[in-house]
Amino acid sequence: MSRHAPVFCLALWVVGLLTAMVGWRACAEDTDEFKAARLYMVEHDIARSGWAREGVKDPTVLEAMRTVLRHEFVPESSRDEAYADHPLPIGHGQTISQPYIVAYMTEMLKLKPEHTVLEIGTGSGYQAAVLAEIARKVYTVEIIEPLAARAAETLKKRGYENVEVKHGDGYFGWPEHGPFDAIIVTAAASHIPPPLVEQLKPGGCMAIPVGPPLQTQNLILVEKLEDGAVRRRSVMPVRFVPLTRSEGTK
Ligand code: SAH
């Protein structure tokens, strides 16, 4: 036996132990119960068409919804409800959207793996994670600082290195990183912010709820055509928390 053998064996043992620990951590974060609830959510609440609702078909969106651990993005006290098809409170008077709406709006963007996406309204970071499973890069803006900080931390912990979170008023987009292949706004605006239309690439899609706060709004698909013309189409009634504005910018 070579004199290096004991050192080699010890190194192997340490690597084995570390691998086991990492494996155990992954298991601790996703349980069979959560996994079953997630798969049920996708098949039953998202992919299936129902009364007055069209099932989501895009396989890449469905796969992203199967992959992202939604229970990691909701407060611990709501984890048992993480995969139910309704919004949940995330603190500061805000909510994480219902899974069906997250999937539907993601499908509206017609994302490709090479795309760069802008999200306005980071909230918990869950929608950003879904986008990051499909697109190359996600920029997301949140107006409430503690939510922006918490989402950035959760996304980092989950290994989403292709997401950048900024604290600020998303009405103005993130011009330094634009133009974007797709834009998603997850708070209800009184009108479509012109800076966001400007930051959308020709050929790009934007999904945005537009309407009065605390009432039913219209989910609008904004398409910028290759010649720069802009088309808007209302796709369904929705209810979102309002897009608020920072002081001095209203
Ligand atoms: N997409 C989120 C849920 C969004 S809730 C998720 O997956 O969890 C809407 C979020 O929009 C809230 O966190 C709210 O603080 C934020 N918001 C409201 N107005 C905003 C603005 N002008 N700019 C950026 N974020 C805004």
Side-chain angles (χ1 to χ4, degrees):
M1 209 154 103
S2 118
R3 65 194 168 89
H4 295 303
V7 178
F8 181 69
C9 286
L10 182 69
L12 264 185
W13 182 80
V14 170
V15 167
L17 184 69
L18 287 176
T19 310
M21 283 170 72
V22 169
W24 177 82
R25 239 185 104 240
C27 291
E29 286 166 356
D30 194 18
T31 64
D32 288 347
E33 285 77 15
F34 281 137
K35 189 161 186 222
R38 204 160 56 246
L39 298 185
Y40 181 85
M41 168 190 86
V42 172
E43 303 320 319
H44 187 265
D45 299 324
I46 298 176
R48 207 172 61 156
S49 295
W51 182 78
R53 111 178 190 172
E54 206 183 316
V56 171
K57 303 276 177 305
D58 186 334
T60 59
V61 175
L62 296 176
E63 191 51 28
M65 298 300 292
R66 280 187 204 103
T67 306
V68 181
L69 306 186
R70 185 170 159 96
H71 63 271
E72 292 278 325
F73 291 85
V74 304
E76 248 179 277
S77 55
S78 312
R79 286 217 166 139
D80 289 349
E81 287 180 80
Y83 296 101
D85 198 29
H86 55 71
L88 287 169
I90 53 170
H92 305 270
Q94 307 304 320
T95 53
I96 175 174
S97 308
Q98 113 190 56
Y100 171 73
I101 293 291
V102 171
Y104 190 92
M105 288 177 78
T106 307
E107 187 176 52
M108 283 169 72
L109 303 178
K110 302 186 187 89
L111 293 179
K112 299 209 175 94
E114 65 274 19
H115 278 178
T116 299
V117 190
L118 173 68
E119 180 195 25
I120 306 304
T122 317
S124 67
Y126 175 69
Q127 173 75 74
V130 171
L131 299 169
E133 288 287 341
I134 307 171
R136 186 182 64 82
K137 182 85 196 186
V138 179
Y139 293 96
T140 178
V141 185
E142 171 55 54
I143 203 164
I144 299 177
E145 194 163 19
L147 285 182
R150 193 172 64 197
E153 197 183 308
T154 312
L155 287 160
K156 192 168 166 225
K157 184 177 148 215
R158 299 289 345 133
Y160 290 103
E161 282 174 9
N162 57 339
V163 183
E164 247 179 78
V165 183
K166 176 171 96 162
H167 165 234
D169 184 351
Y171 183 91
F172 302 103
W174 198 336
E176 295 84 344
H177 295 294
F180 301 96
D181 298 290
I183 300 181
I184 180 169
V185 182
T186 62
S190 60
H191 60 276
I192 300 170
L196 298 185
V197 178
E198 242 165 68
Q199 288 167 41
L200 189 60
K201 274 189 196 168
C205 294
M206 164 159 55
I208 176 169
V210 178
L214 312 175
Q215 291 177 37
T216 301
Q217 303 109 18
N218 287 312
L219 180 57
I220 308 282
L221 171 66
V222 180
E223 286 173 293
K224 194 182 254 188
L225 308 183
E226 292 297 343
D227 64 3
V230 176
R231 256 197 341 223
R232 299 170 181 78
R233 185 160 60 86
S234 175
V235 295
M236 73 159 111
V238 285
R239 271 185 99 117
F240 274 84
V241 294
L243 186 81
T244 54
R245 305 297 314 286
S246 49
E247 283 310 314
T249 60
K250 282 171 204 155

